[in-house]
Structure formats: C-alpha cells, structure tokens
C-alpha cells in the first residue's frame, strides 16, 4: 500500500500510511503561525539583553531612549514587580538526599538587580515598529558591575567559583539520589570485573524551524488577556501564568497556540518574553508582538542535555551485569526552567536499567547552576542521556571481557514481563531479543569483519555500533508523577462533538507542532466511526475551545491523547447505540456497530452513523427523559503506567583518517512502538529523531567561553545535520502491543534521538580502537584521535 | 536594519554616478553577505546601488585566451554554464560548491571577490589561474587584488565589471567544508600550465587567500601527490578556531592539495 492510494473521502483504517492532511496547508503557505498574525493597533517588543554572563545592575537609565521617536514604552523589572508579577517557576519539586527542597533561584521575567547569562532580559522596549524599538534599546544606558562568571559546568561547584544565586550555595540546586546504595556497593564488592566510563553529554540548541513568538492583547472591556504564542502546551502556559506568575485569573486569560513549527521540547516552557508581551499589553493598552530572531533563539531558548557523568558497571564471572553506579553533574544554566529539574532526575536515572536485568543500581545527580542559558527538556529529555551512558558502558564492558557486544547484550536482556527495575519503573512488555535479531540481520552484522577489512584496504577505518535503547513514554500516570514531585497530573482530555450531519470535531488537549495529529487522530476517528477521514476535524491549541489539556511532549500524544479520544469514542458509540435501538425498535443489546452502521444483529435492519447523529439532534424518536438529545462526549484518560518503546539501532560508518571525516554507510533502526496508527508518520518521526541524534553525536554542540560568551551563536558556527550527512535509513519494526492503553500504542517521537548517539559513538570507538571519543565527534576531533592511534600503533 | 536609499540603475554610468553622489554609498550585488550584515545592524550605508539591472555585467564570454565572467554572474550560472565547463571545468565545479542553492542563485562572483572573505572559494581560483579583475577604472592582477582579510585593492567608488581567467591550464579545486557554515576550512586550487604550477589556498591562511610556494616548487619538479608528502604549512601562518586547530587546517590543506593534484593527474 502506498500513501497515494488513500482517498480522504474514504474511511481510513488503522495501520494505513495515510498522507498528512495538514501538509497541503503547510506546503502551500497557508499555515497560520503566530508571526503571521497581526492584531489591530499592535506594537512591537524588543528585548534589551545582557551582554555579560554575570553582572550586577546598578541602574538603568531609559530617559533618552524613551524620548526617541516611535517609542511606546520602556519597561523594566521594577515595573513588573510594581504590578505584582511574580517570577517564572520550575514546576517539578526535587528534594536533595538530605531531604531539603531544591534551591530554585528567583527567576524574574525582567532582571531587577542582577543578570545571570548572556541574553538575560534587562528591559523591554515597545515601539510602533521593531526598528524604532531597536533604535531606542541601543540608547538605554545600563550601569553594569561585571562579575566573574561561572560558565563551566566542571568547575561551577568549586570553592572559588562565582556565586550565581544567593540561596544556592556551591551553585548547587540539588544533590539527588536514586536506587539502593548499599545493595549496589555489595554488588561491586563481589564483582569479577568492573568497567568504568567518563562521559560528557554535549549541550544542544533545539533549533525548531519556527522561532518562538508571542502576541499579548489586553481587552479593557472585559479585563481579559489573550496570548497567541508558540506553545506545545497552551493550557499549562495559562495555568502557570495564572496560578504562579500572577498575570490574570485563568478565566481571564486565553492562550492560543496556532500552527507551531516544531518545538522539540523548547516550546513547553513558560519564558520571559511571552510573559512580558501579555503583561505589557495592559500597560500600553495595545497588543504587543514579539518574534524571536535566530540569534536570540541561540541565546535564550532552553538548551538540552549537558551532563558530565562517571559510570561504573559491575559484572560477575559469567559476564552478567550485577550492579551499576552513576554520578552525574547536570547543568541547569542560570535559572531552573519550567521542567528542568525532572529531566536529569526522574526522566534520566529511572532509565538506567536500559533493556538489561540489573539487580542493583545507584545514581547520584548534582544539578548545578552556571552563567549560561537555562537547560531543560529537549527531544528525549533525560532518556538520551541515560541511553548514551548505558549503551556506551555496556559496549565497553563487552569489549573489555572479550565478548561480542551483541551477545553480551542478549545475555543480559530482561526477558520476562512485567519487570520491576531497581529504579522505580516497571516495564510492562517488550521483546528486546526480537529487535536485536532483526537489526543484526538487516545490518548483515555477521559479515561486518569482511567489510572492515575491505575498507582498511581503501585506507578507511570502518566501525559498527549497536544501541539497544529503551525509553519511558506516554507520560504519565498522574499519581505516580505527583509522588515524584510533579506539580501537575499528566492525563489527557478529549471531546468528540458529532454534528447533526454526521461529521465530527475532536477537541484534544494534545498539541500538534509537526507530529501530524490532524491525520493520525482523524484516522482513529474515521476507523472507529466508519466515516471518511475528511469528515473529521481536529481542534487543538486554544484554551477557549479545548477545556483543558496537558500538551504534547514525551511521546505522549498517541499513547495518552489518543487513548482519551478512544475513551470518548466509546461513549459516543454507547449513546448512539441507545438512540439506534429506539429508532430500529430493537433492544440496545441487539445493536451491533460495524463499518459505520448500527445493525440489529441477525437482521438487515440498519442505520448509518450519520442517520443516528441526525436523529440524536432532531430528538423526535427517542424519549428525551431517558436519553439526552445531542451527541457529544468527553473523556479524561489517565495512563496506568508509562509505555516502554524500545529497539535496536545499528550504525555502520567509515572514518577517513586523513581528514577525520565520518561517513555513515548504513543505518538500521528496528523499533518496537507497539501498535502503529500510521506507519508513514511513524517512519518520519524515526527519521527526524535519528537526524537529531546523529547531529548530537557528530555535529552539534553549544559552546561558551570562560566568560560565558556564546561561541556558537549562529549557523556559521553551530552545525545542524543536513540531508547529506545521513544515509537512507533502513527502518524495521517489531511489535509487542502496549497492554496498558486501549490502542496498544507506545509512542515513537523521541526514539531516534535517544537511540542514535551511542550507536554512532560505539561505531566510532570500534573504528578507531579507542573508547575515548567525545561528542560531537567532529572531523577535527577524529583526525586528532586517529593520528594518536596511528602513532600509538607505530610505537607498539 | 537601518533605513537606506535604494537605487537600481539600468546602466553602468548611472551606477557609477550614484556611487559618487553620496557618503557611504554601497554596491549591492547578490546581497548574500551585505544584507545579513545590514540586518544585524553591523553597517549603515546611506544608499545601496543595485547592479542587477545592468545586463552587460552578467555576461560570460569564452575567447581564445580568456574566459570572462561578468561581475554579476551568479554562482549557479557559472556552475551550470557550458562555456565555463568547457573552458575551465574546475571553475564550474568550484561555483557549484559554494553555499547552498539559495546562495548560489543570488550570490555573484563580483560580490564574492569584493568581499574577500578568507574562507571564500573564488579567490583561490583567481590566484591559481592568474585572473585579472576588470574594474570601472583599471585592470588589477589577482596577485595585487586580494590584500588581506576582507580587504582588496578596490577604491571606495570602484566597481568590478568582470573577472578574466586565462584558459588552457589543467586545474582542479578540492574543498574541505566547514561543517557548520560550508565555507572552506581548506580549499586548494591547483593549476598547471606549461610546467608552471600554481597552488592557491583559501580557508586556512591567517591573512586570507595565499599561494603555497613550497608546494608549487615541489609540484613543478614532480607533478604527483607524493611530491607534497614532506611538506607542511607552518601552523603559525594558519587560522585556528572552534572548528579546527592550525595543525588540523594545515593537514587539510595538504590533503586537499594532494587530491587536487591526483584529480589533474588522472
Ligand atoms: C549561507 C551562506 C553560505 C555561503 N557559503 C559560501 C561558500 O561556501 N563559499 C563562498 O565562497 N561563499 C559563500 N557564501 C558567500 C556568497 O558566495 C556570496 O555570494 C558572497 O559573499 C557575496 O556575493 P554577493 O553577490 O551576495 O555580494 P553582496 O552581498 O551583494 O556584496 C558583498 C560586498 O561586495 C560589494 N560588491 C558587490 N558587488 C560588487 C562589485 N561588482 N564591485 C564592487 N563591489 C561589489 C558590496 O558592496 C559588498 O560590500 C555564502 C553565503 C551565505 C549567506
């Protein structure tokens, strides 16, 4: 079946590669992004940003700037405070080992007395035009007392380091632990072999295609605000801005996230600029618009990853893993961003068991402030960091004890389910050997040595690398995350509104910003109700339309968002059956619903779905004292467990020792995502994820200098993956259906980004014969390593 | 961007007059360098004189001794030109390696050499092939034209009209791209003619594009990749940055030079 064979006027079955409904709009330029919107009378905001990583603000003189032409207002942190606007929050409470709560340094939307990273917000100029605002910003005189910066993660906790937040000694937000320390120590005491590893998980800039943007508009008539913004979760934005920041009561704040062009996590968070646009619109009495430019995005969008980790793996005499000990230092940047604290903790350490049966695990994480941009969730969030560590140390352990690394993994796999790991999670189902076997076969693993030898004859260093990743997705059971410190529940809501003519609107709390929900969600409804897919409209991203929702991240929209839709569809079907029974003069129990028709079983008496819908609204033929008119049902779905997508990726590559260039020759991805609604969209998610993972491994890396100046502030210096950097992927699937949700879905959005980095680095370490290869493994880095290896071999 | 006046004259005389008419008037060619500079408010010209409406500036001509490329010829035009492919195929190949399709469709040879970015590609071809830059007032040998980082021999109100490349050399260009920007980390243009070999290097020199004299001497004696084996650039003359040390760039220059020689020899 190919994507073209589907006709939108037809019912679309689950599992069919239906073409994305939304793409016509996007590729013909008809998408409506926040920056496309213009509100009557709108003004333009420009943020004056700190040029220093760390400085005290002695004074801000705006007088000359305010007198310049086209300036509507210049506002500072003092104005925010005067209006009672509170700081931005981190919504996940983490407690340190000693029981003390995390030390969340105050995070005002506009700095008052201190700036803590280059790009920190000092003032906002609101102008008739953006140019007028920029001109005036250049005329603001800020009296800075420049302070030494603590820009380097490795030394930020040291005694002499600059002190970023008064209430966070040693620049440490928390010192957290997970697992059984005593049991883990006992395992190491009886280990036959211990493998150790030291890794840096490099800092990444998220780089969605659409930069962030916002328009705030205050309506003095009903004293309410509307905020159009590039959000992955508009309801959460409204909740935070209302309940914590104190902008306006929830019923007086509407947040609309129209078309959003990618997020990768970076648009989950509630940032200074969006907050200020909403607030300032009341101050100036006109709409306030801001669109981030790419340079600002590099400075201020929350970055991802940035860990320094030491790991130790204990093996018994038979090569069985018996213990795993981890110490990680996680960079938080200058402030705790909205979900920053859960990323290096509950989204990280809980995955340290990987696909392996490890009886004892102990992990310590220090979360550390530095004078750099805040760090928060980025595609995979914590799970790529865990997988990188697990898959690197497992690979290294296998090599050290002289076992084939595929075999070593297989011997340590978890094989019976459910499986309780020592780090909270209970894996419900999986088939790790099946993915491994299929990936080994597709990659022709057995004949790799011959290919390596052939490459050597051409002067190339060829390597192969495995990555058996697992992730916890479908986040998450509300009570479970609540017990771990989350400030919110992580259910999802849906409302299915059937119109009298039988077409359907689905309101969902999930938010599509590239994932294709308008297609997959509609496909589910089409298949379930037996109506054409173009009779289904998906509504999302507006707090006035959708009652509440938790948004899209953590590969949760299929497993959680669609489960909510499925639940609402159950209710629609149940009610429609009641109505059909009255019209068909049969008992409800005799009505069957199949292929879009309600039929009295064993007869040919039948009604199409649309006919029942019409009857539901006309309400002539059933007792409205028993059955309410109309056909509209809502549901909230709270997952009972995380879902556990897993799989095996194999990367085969060649390094040119003359230049250090890496060419990826072949990439095999075998993933178990549970049930699949639309394989074309799933494959697209896998491709994009691998591209970002390869980006992390070979190309991308945010760099600051010792003074905290950003060195990689544009595409001239920050390397994004390009099509030419990637091979054509071989994508295979294995399937174990998720037992905990009605559709059997596990999720697929982050898998590639999680799986890819260790696959690449394991292949490079294989190719170069050293375990010490940092990310990004740029040509310059690999050339140096290759020269070192050649010299070492010559000396031997 | 700051406000500026914009003019699009249809003839060269008009353009030259416009350039002399005000303070800080600038020529606009493809805008691939100039416009980002303006957008970032790093320059504030009073006016831009766009050369795009002057047809004779984008001509490409192939005579018996010279290939002449008009200053406004876009990189994509040079890359796709059958005339260039016939006269100096290495030059067409070089143009096809610049930036991405959008950049190649806008960017011009005149803009590129006027800008003299130390990592740009064309300057290497100009030096190695012994090109002459034809301007509104004179003819300048490439040797004399590129004077330093982003510096050229051009006067304020002087406009490049064309670049004249002598034909008949065997030539090849090998470029190692900066992984982020795709400009050259090391670009080496080798041209051999009647026993004379010229090797021009871009992307690596502290002072911009330069000729690698030792390599030229070695190749004049023995035109083979192995002739370069014993040579290395002095790292103290080589650029170092985030993307690579001086030692690494020196290595890349050598590898690219060997590959260019191998391409010509085969
Ligand atoms: C994303 C990107 C990637 C790029 N990659 C590469 C690359 O790989 N290799 C490479 O070599 N270049 C690269 N470039 C630069 C590109 O080749 C541009 O063409 C070049 O920098 C300038 O040419 P332009 O026609 O755009 O000139 P403009 O930007 O219009 O002008 C540049 C300067 O030259 C002056 N000028 C222009 N024409 C004349 C003239 N006829 N006489 C006198 N002065 C003149 C202008 O006044 C201005 O000062 C890249 C650019 C971008 C944006």
């Amino acid at each position: 079946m190919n994507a073209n064979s589907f006709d939108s006027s037809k019912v679309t079955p689950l599992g069919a590669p239906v073409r994305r409904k939304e793409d016509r709009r996007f590729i013909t330029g008809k998408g409506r992004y926040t920056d496309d919107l213009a509100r009557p009378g709108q003004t333009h905001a420009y943020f004056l940003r700190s040029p220093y990583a760390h400085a005290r603000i002695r004074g801000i003189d705006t007088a000359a700037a305010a007198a310049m032409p086209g300036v509507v207002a210049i506002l500072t942190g003092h104005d925010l405070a005067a209006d009672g606007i509170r700081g931005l929050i981190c919504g996940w409470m983490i407690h340190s080992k000693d029981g003390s709560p995390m030390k969340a340094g105050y995070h005002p939307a506009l700095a008052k007395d201190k700036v803590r990273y280059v790009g920190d917000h000092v003032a906002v100029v609101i102008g008739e035009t953006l140019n007028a605002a920029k001109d005036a910003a250049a005329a603001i005189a800020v009296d800075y007392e420049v302070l030494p910066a603590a820009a380097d993660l490795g030394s930020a906790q040291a005694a002499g380091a600059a002190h970023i937040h008064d209430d966070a000694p040693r620049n440490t937000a928390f010192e957290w632990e997970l697992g059984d320390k005593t049991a883990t120590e006992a395992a190491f005491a009886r280990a036959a072999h211990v493998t150790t590893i030291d890794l840096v998980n490099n800092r990444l800039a998220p780089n969605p295609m659409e930069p962030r943007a916002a328009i705030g508009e205050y309506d003095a008539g009903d004293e309410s605000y509307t905020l159009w913004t590039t959000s992955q979760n508009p309801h959460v934005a409204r909740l935070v801005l209302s309940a914590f920041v104190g902008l306006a009561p929830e019923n007086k704040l509407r947040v609309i996230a129209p078309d959003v062009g990618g997020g990768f996590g970076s648009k989950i968070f509630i940032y200074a600029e969006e907050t200020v646009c909403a607030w300032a619109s009341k101050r100036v009495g006109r709409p306030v618009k801001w669109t981030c430019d790419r340079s600002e995005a590099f400075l201020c969008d929350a970055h991802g990853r940035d860990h320094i980790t030491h790991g130790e793996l204990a093996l018994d005499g038979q090569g069985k893993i018996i213990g795993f000990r981890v110490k990680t230092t996680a960079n938080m940047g200058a402030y705790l961003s909205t979900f920053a604290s859960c990323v290096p903790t509950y989204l990280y350490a809980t995955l340290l068991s990987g696909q392996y049966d490890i009886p004892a695990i102990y992990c310590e994480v220090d979360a550390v402030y530095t004078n750099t941009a805040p760090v928060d969730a980025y595609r995979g969030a914590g799970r790529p960091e865990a997988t990188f560590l697990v898959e690197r140390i497992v690979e290294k352990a296998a090599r050290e004890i002289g076992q084939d690394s595929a075999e070593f993994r297989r011997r340590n796999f978890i094989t019976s389910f459910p499986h309780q790991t020592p780090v909270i999670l209970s894996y419900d189902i999986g088939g790790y050997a099946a993915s491994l076997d299929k990936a080994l076969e597709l990659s022709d693993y057995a004949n790799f040595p011959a290919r390596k030898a052939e490459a050597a004859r051409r002067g190339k260093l060829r390597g192969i690398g495995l990555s058996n990743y697992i992730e916890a997705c479908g986040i998450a059971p509300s009570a479970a995350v609540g017990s771990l410190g989350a400030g919110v529940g992580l259910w999802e809501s849906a409302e299915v509104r059937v119109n009298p003519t039988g077409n359907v609107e689905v309101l969902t709390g999930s938010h599509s910003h590239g994932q294709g929900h308008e297609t997959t969600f509609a496909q589910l409804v089409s298949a379930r109700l037996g109506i054409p897919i173009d009779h289904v409209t998906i509504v999302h991203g507006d707090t006035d339309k959708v009652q509440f929702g938790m948004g899209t991240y953590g590969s949760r929209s299929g497993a959680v968002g669609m489960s909510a839709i499925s639940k609402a569809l159950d209710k629609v079907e149940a009610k429609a059956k009641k109505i059909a029974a009255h019209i068909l003069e049969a008992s409800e129990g005799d009505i069957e619903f199949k292929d879009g028709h309600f039929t009295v079983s064993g007869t040919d008496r039948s009604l199409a779905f649309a006919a029942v819908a019409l009857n539901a609204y006309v309400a002539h033929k059933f007792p409205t004292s028993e059955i309410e008119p109309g056909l509209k049902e809502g549901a909230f779905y709270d997952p009972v467990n995380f879902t556990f997508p897993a799989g095996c990726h194999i990367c085969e590559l060649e390094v040119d020792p003359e230049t250090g260039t890496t060419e990826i020759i072949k990439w095999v991805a075998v993933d178990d995502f549970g049930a699949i609604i639309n394989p074309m969209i799933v494959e697209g998610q896998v491709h994009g994820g691998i591209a970002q993972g390869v980006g992390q491994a070979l190309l991308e890396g945010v760099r600051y200098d010792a003074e905290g100046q950003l060195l990689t502030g544009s595409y001239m210096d920050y390397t994004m993956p390009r099509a030419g950097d990637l091979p054509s992927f071989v994508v295979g699937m294995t399937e174990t259906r998720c037992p905990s949700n009605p559709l059997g879905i596990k999720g697929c959005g982050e898998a590639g980004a999680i799986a890819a980095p260790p696959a690449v680095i394991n292949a490079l370490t294989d190719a170069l014969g050293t375990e010490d290869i940092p990310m990004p493994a740029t040509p310059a880095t690999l050339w140096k390593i290759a020269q070192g290896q050649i010299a070492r071999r010559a000396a031997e | 961007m700051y406000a500026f006046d914009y003019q699009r004259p249809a003839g060269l005389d008009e353009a030259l007059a416009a350039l002399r008419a005000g303070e800080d008037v600038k020529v606009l060619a493809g805008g691939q360098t100039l416009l980002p500079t303006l957008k970032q408010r790093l320059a504030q010209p009073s006016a831009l004189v766009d050369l795009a409406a002057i047809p004779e500036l984008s001509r490409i001509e192939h005579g018996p001794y010279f290939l002449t490329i008009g200053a406004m010829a876009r990189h994509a035009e040079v890359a796709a030109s059958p005339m260039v492919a016939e006269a100096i195929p290495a030059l067409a190949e070089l143009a096809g390696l610049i930036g991405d399709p959008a950049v190649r469709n806008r960017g011009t040879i005149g803009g590129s050499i006027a800008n003299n970015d130390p990592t740009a590609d064309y300057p290497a071809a100009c030096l190695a092939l012994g090109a002459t830059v034809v301007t509104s007032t004179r003819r300048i040998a490439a040797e004399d034209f590129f004077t330093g980082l982003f510096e050229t021999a051009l006067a304020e109100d002087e406009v490049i009209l064309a670049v004249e490349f002598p034909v008949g050399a065997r030539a090849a260009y090998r470029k190692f791209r900066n992984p982020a920007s795709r400009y050259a980390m090391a670009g080496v243009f080798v041209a051999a003619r009647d026993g004379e070999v010229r090797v021009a290097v871009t992307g690596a020199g502290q002072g911009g594009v330069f000729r690698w004299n030792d390599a030229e001497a070695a190749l004049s004696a023995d035109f083979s990749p192995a002739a370069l084996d014993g040579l290395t650039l002095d790292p103290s003359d080589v650029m170092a940055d985030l993307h690579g040390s001086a030692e690494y760039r020196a290595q890349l220059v050598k590898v690219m030079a060997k590959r260019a020689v191998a391409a010509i020899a085969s």
Side-chain angles (χ1 to χ4, degrees), chain A residues 185-495:
Chain A
E185 271 167 7
F188 277 85
R190 64 187 167 83
H193 180 87
V194 173
T195 294
T196 66
I197 203 161
D198 287 284
L199 299 172
V200 172
N201 204 290
N202 46 327
R203 179 188 273 240
L204 304 176
N207 281 303
M209 203 180 290
E210 179 209 21
R212 288 189 293 124
I215 306 176
E217 180 167 338
Y218 181 70
D219 182 333
D222 63 7
E223 299 176 316
S224 71
Y225 293 84
T226 302
L227 174 63
W228 287 266
T229 184
T230 47
S231 175
Q232 300 179 216
N233 45 349
H235 292 86
V236 176
R238 183 179 64 161
L239 180 64
V240 170
L241 288 172
S242 295
F244 298 96
V245 178
L247 177 70
E250 250 182 308
N251 62 331
K252 293 290 185 188
L253 172 59
R254 176 181 184 185
V255 178
I256 303 172
D259 283 329
V260 175
F264 310 118
S266 68
K267 292 173 181 167
I268 297 172
F269 321 124
I270 291 65
Y271 289 91
E273 292 90 348
E274 291 85 328
T275 305
V276 167
C277 284
W279 161 71
S281 69
K282 181 177 179 186
R283 275 268 183 157
V284 302
R286 290 166 63 183
V288 177
K289 181 173 184 174
W290 170 77
T291 301
C292 191
D293 68 28
R294 192 57 71 180
S295 308
E296 291 180 292
F298 273 110
L299 287 175
C300 300
D301 284 8
H303 293 158
R305 320 278 192 258
D306 208 347
H307 287 188
I308 299 174
T309 291
H310 174 75
E312 299 176 357
L313 196 70
L315 310 182
D316 71 10
Q318 282 72 52
K320 169 85 189 64
I321 304 169
I322 55 174
F324 190 19
R325 197 154 56 188
V326 176
K327 174 74 204 260
T328 289
T329 308
N331 201 340
M332 297 285 99
Y335 302 97
L336 288 185
S337 170
T338 316
F339 289 108
S341 56
C342 72
V343 176
T345 52
Y346 291 109
L347 294 179
Y348 167 67
T350 53
L351 273 305
L352 289 175
S353 200
Q355 298 185 355
Y356 311 105
D357 183 10
I358 307 179
I361 299 176
Y362 178 67
C363 175
E364 292 172 286
V365 178
D366 284 8
V368 174
Y369 291 112
T370 57
N371 291 116
T372 63
V375 179
D376 205 324
Y378 167 69
R379 200 169 192 171
R383 292 152 292 172
E385 295 90 315
T387 300
F388 185 62
L389 170 60
V390 171
E391 288 305 293
R392 282 291 297 121
I393 201 166
V394 161
E395 185 71 39
K396 190 172 181 220
R399 288 172 185 166
E400 282 177 359
I401 63 167
Q403 262 189 29
D404 173 70
S405 79
E407 212 36 54
F408 179 77
R409 286 176 167 87
R410 189 192 309 279
R411 286 191 199 170
N412 281 287
F413 277 156
I414 294 161
T415 50
S416 74
F417 296 91
H419 173 87
Q420 178 63 53
T421 71
V423 278
I424 301 181
L425 297 177
S426 172
Y427 299 170
D428 49 7
I429 198 158
Y432 309 139
S435 311
L436 175 65
D437 288 341
K438 189 161 182 183
L440 292 175
E441 187 198 317
L442 289 172
S443 67
D444 190 21
Y445 184 76
N447 290 311
F448 173 73
R451 298 195 292 277
K452 189 176 176 104
E454 185 278 328
R457 287 195 291 276
R458 287 183 283 112
K460 297 289 164 63
L461 306 170
R462 195 161 174 128
I464 196 163
L466 275 65
S467 171
N468 283 69
Y469 75 95
I470 189 163
E471 47 173 335
C473 292
I475 51 176
S478 297
V481 294
S483 74
L484 304 178
V488 288
L490 286 169
W491 44 265
E492 196 46 86
S493 80
E495 192 177 314

Side-chain angles (χ1 to χ4, degrees), chain B residues 27 29-34 75 99 103 107-108 111 114 120-121 160 175 182-183:
Chain B
V27 168
Q32 296 305 291
T33 297
L34 187 52
H75 308 327
V103 170
T108 66
D121 298 297
I160 300 171
K175 173 180 184 180
R182 296 292 174 110
Y183 279 80

Side-chain angles (χ1 to χ4, degrees), chain A residues 131 134-135 656-661 699 703 711-712 715-720 722 725 779-780 783 787, chain B residues 1-2 39-41 176 178-183 185 242-245 247-248 251-252 255-256 258-259:
Chain A
N131 267 331
K134 282 186 180 177
D135 288 344
D656 176 351
E658 285 190 334
T659 59
T661 312
L699 307 163
R703 298 264 302 273
L711 299 175
T712 49
Y715 293 131
M716 295 301 281
D717 290 309
Y718 188 89
T719 312
M720 291 294 283
R722 293 166 164 90
D725 298 317
W783 173 73
Q787 295 313 302
Chain B
M1 205 178 265
Y2 299 106
K39 280 187 182 169
Q40 288 177 54
R41 300 185 147 214
F176 190 90
N178 176 308
S181 73
R182 296 292 174 110
Y183 279 80
M185 290 262 286
L242 204 56
H243 302 284
S245 61
E247 289 75 16
Y248 178 57
Q251 159 76 5
L252 289 179
V255 174
M256 294 302 116
K258 288 172 85 168
R259 290 181 184 178

Side-chain angles (χ1 to χ4, degrees), chain B residues 113 116 122-123 126-127 133 141-148 151-153 209:
Chain B
I113 64 168
N116 193 19
Y122 271 127
C126 293
L127 267 194
V133 180
E143 296 284 324
D144 305 323
F145 182 82
F146 302 108
T147 54
E151 300 282 345
T152 67
V209 66

